[in-house]
Amino acid sequence: MEPSRQKRQKTRNRLPVILVAFGCILIITAFFVPPMGSIDPTVLTAFGEILTFAGAVLGIDYKYKQENS
């Protein structure tokens, strides 16, 4: 694999992890913002969208790898 391609691959692998971590931080933060203990539906929606995007990134990468092997 060429160096620029390796760099892109590393970025694709890290992006979903970063997005899921960000989503988890949103959920945890929602417990400490008034009203405490209640997670706002907008936070849950944002977290769901983040997980969907992360899954799409991983799924596209997996499919691409399967086609090129």
Side-chain angles (χ1 to χ4, degrees):
M1 227 185 275
E2 57 205 49
S4 62
R5 194 171 191 179
Q6 286 178 340
K7 187 174 181 179
R8 277 187 277 143
Q9 185 64 33
K10 284 183 182 180
T11 302
R12 280 190 191 143
N13 290 340
R14 289 180 184 159
L15 182 63
V17 174
I18 292 168
L19 290 174
V20 170
F22 177 70
C24 290
I25 290 169
L26 274 176
I27 293 278
I28 292 168
T29 303
F31 280 115
F32 299 107
V33 176
M36 290 184 65
S38 176
I39 300 176
D40 193 75
T42 57
V43 173
L44 292 175
T45 302
F47 184 64
E49 289 178 5
I50 287 169
L51 288 178
T52 302
F53 180 72
V57 169
L58 287 174
I60 290 169
D61 187 46
Y62 177 75
K63 182 174 175 151
Y64 179 75
K65 281 182 182 178
Q66 292 298 328
E67 288 177 359
N68 289 334
S69 33

